[in-house]
């Protein structure tokens, strides 16, 4: 259900909040690792699939659309 609902590639708007897929390795247990981290705010759209996002601390990065989930 989650993949059918949130894995569609509809474009996201600037200023909307998103969650990012967590790729950080946790050494003690992957079961306790959160699958999604955030929320992040979209600040710029570089192309159809690349977005610039910023977290609450002000750290900005760019990420592919497949790794973002609407908040």
């Amino acid at each position: 259900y989650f993949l059918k609902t949130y894995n569609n590639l509809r474009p996201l708007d600037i200023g909307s909040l998103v969650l990012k897929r967590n790729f950080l390795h946790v050494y003690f247990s992957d079961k306790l690792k959160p699958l999604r981290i955030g929320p992040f705010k979209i600040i710029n759209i570089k192309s159809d699939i690349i977005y610039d996002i910023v977290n609450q601390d002000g750290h900005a990065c760019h990420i592919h659309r497949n790794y973002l989930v609407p908040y």
Side-chain angles (χ1 to χ4, degrees):
Y1 174 77
F2 183 79
L3 290 176
K4 288 182 181 178
T5 305
Y6 294 109
N7 204 15
N8 56 356
L9 293 178
R10 65 179 177 83
L12 298 170
D13 298 327
I14 294 177
S16 61
L17 296 176
V18 293
L19 298 176
K20 182 174 83 168
R21 185 173 171 194
N22 190 2
F23 288 106
L24 297 175
H25 184 70
V26 177
Y27 294 103
F28 54 88
S29 173
D30 283 338
K31 291 181 181 178
L32 299 176
K33 177 177 80 168
L35 297 177
R36 307 275 187 243
I37 54 175
F40 293 88
K41 186 176 182 181
I42 296 176
I43 56 172
N44 190 13
I45 300 173
K46 289 190 172 207
S47 68
D48 293 339
I49 55 174
I50 302 295
Y51 292 88
D52 284 334
I53 58 174
V54 64
N55 65 0
Q56 295 171 348
D57 297 334
H59 182 270
C61 66
H62 59 276
I63 191 165
H64 195 276
R65 169 64 180 97
N66 289 344
Y67 304 134
L68 296 177
V69 177
Y71 183 64

